[in-house]
Structure formats: structure tokens, C-alpha cells
Amino acid sequence: MRTDSPSRTTLDKATAENFPVAPFFLPRAWRDDLMAVYGYARLVDDIGDGDLAPGGADARHLGVAPAEADDRLVLLDAFEADLRRVFDSTPRHPLLRALQPTVRRRSLTPDPFLALIAANRQDQLVGRYETYDDLVAYCELSANPVGRLVLAITGTESPERVRRSDAVCTALQIVEHLQDVGEDLGRDRIYLPAEDMKRFHVTQADLAAPRGGASVRALVAFEAERAARLLNEGTPLVGSVHGRLRLLLAGFVAGGRAALDAVAAAGHDVLPGPPKPTKSSLLREVGAVLRRARREG
């Protein structure tokens, strides 16, 4: 996939994810398609977070005037318009041009791509979630479409696999929110349910502290346990497939488990910075997930 410099910068962010995006052991066609989808998902998140590469190239590709290049909703509207060109003409942005062959080859529909845009629009308008169910509904837009696209690319969709995939993806999103509490607060976003914050007597001021007090750590531990249960619910997905796809999906699940282990190892104090899993812990978790898949298979 040949891209310009800002797009290359976007794709390079794959190395910072909790899980391998398109590892070497996959068939080349799968790797190319997964990276095309990753580039799309990463770019729409970067638009929503205000993290685009400097210089304004992305806005220019999307036909957004310099005066509006910092307006995230304008950029998201232009990005949606360019996404629709993927399905009926020729998109302008290089990452969307790179996505077009994947869409055609795998007969992908617009729905999961539009959901990711909707999630980022929601981020511009909603910065707090009252209940856990509200947060899960957000994850239905922001995370679950990615897992469904992986199943579509690999030709392994079924209702049960989609259900398990949704559980894994929602869990991974919650884990990422736990790792990034401080960073998200800097964007005036809190992805910890307000009803849980009240239950654990945690205020926004507590989340802005350099270190988490006992209440904050207890809240993070509570949400981490919820994410762990979701990962357990979704783990049978790994055993339902075979070969290299099984290893890929094991990597996704293991990435979430290893990240949760890192959060626990930090005493559930995520405020000094995101606790990150080590490569050795990720490999250990991959082995554990694969052993469970063999037993259940």
C-alpha cells in the first residue's frame, strides 16, 4: 500500500496498539486488507481526537478549506462524503483510495465504516456517560464495527461469531478507556460511567490528580473486572476458527488480557500514565488463550 507521508504517519500508529493489527504470519492479502481498514479507523479517530498530522494535508485531501481545517465536525462530514465515494466513484483521501480495493474484494458494506464516523461525531457532542449501558452503546459504534470487519475480510462471519466479536471489541475499548483516563480527561471526556463514579465516591477532580486515590483505584478495578468478563464471554470466538486466523484472534484477546494485567500491576492507578503490557506478557496471554481454544475446540 503506497501512501503519502501523513497517511504513513497514521498507519505507523499500529505499532502502539494493545494487539497486533496485521501480523506477519497472515496471508499477504489479509494483511493488506486489515491495514487498509486500520488506516481508515485510525484516521477517523485522529480526526475526532484532533490528532491529525501537522500541515493540514488531511483536510486538503478532503477538500476542507484552511479556515475550517480545525473544525472536527466539518472534517468528519467531509470524511463521510469521501467514504461514500469509496462505494460509488473515486475517493480523494489516499487512505480511502487504499481502502477501495479491500471494499470491492471483500464486498464490504458502508455500515461499519459509517458507525465509526458516528462514534467520533458523538465524541464531539457527548463527553460523559451516565450508565454502563450508555457506554456499551457507544462501544457498539466505536469498537464493534472493527471486529465485524475482521470477520468479513476473513470470510468467517456468523451470528454467533459476531456476538462473540462484539464482546471482545467492547472489552478492548473499555480497557483502552481505563488506560487513558488522564488523556481522555484532557479532552474533556470521561468514559467511566457517572453512576459508578458516584457509587465509588469519585469526582472529576479526583481523576485530575497526579495519582489515583483508593476510591479511584477501586473504581478502575471494578471496570476492569467488567472488561475481563466481556473478554471471557468473547474468548470462544478464538476456538471457533482455525489456522492463522485463530492466532490473530488470540492476539486480540490476549492484548486485552495483557493490558488488564498491566493495569492490575500498577495497582489500578492509571492516572500517572497508561499502563502498557510488555511483549512477554502478551506472548504468555496468547499461549493461554490458544490452550483454552484447543480445550474448547
Side-chain angles (χ1 to χ4, degrees), residues 260-289:
L260 285 172
D261 288 346
V263 169
H268 296 98
D269 185 6
V270 297
L271 299 188
K276 293 292 187 179
T278 63
K279 286 186 178 179
S280 60
S281 67
L282 176 60
L283 290 173
R284 283 196 303 272
E285 291 295 341
V286 167
V289 172

Side-chain angles (χ1 to χ4, degrees), residues 200-243:
F200 285 90
H201 307 289
V202 171
T203 67
Q204 181 170 323
D206 294 327
L207 300 182
R211 301 196 69 87
S215 296
V216 171
R217 288 184 278 113
L219 171 60
V220 170
F222 175 74
E223 305 299 349
E225 178 58 31
R226 277 178 156 168
R229 288 199 297 270
L230 277 172
L231 279 176
N232 285 336
E233 180 184 338
T235 297
L237 172 67
V238 179
S240 76
V241 299
H242 303 281

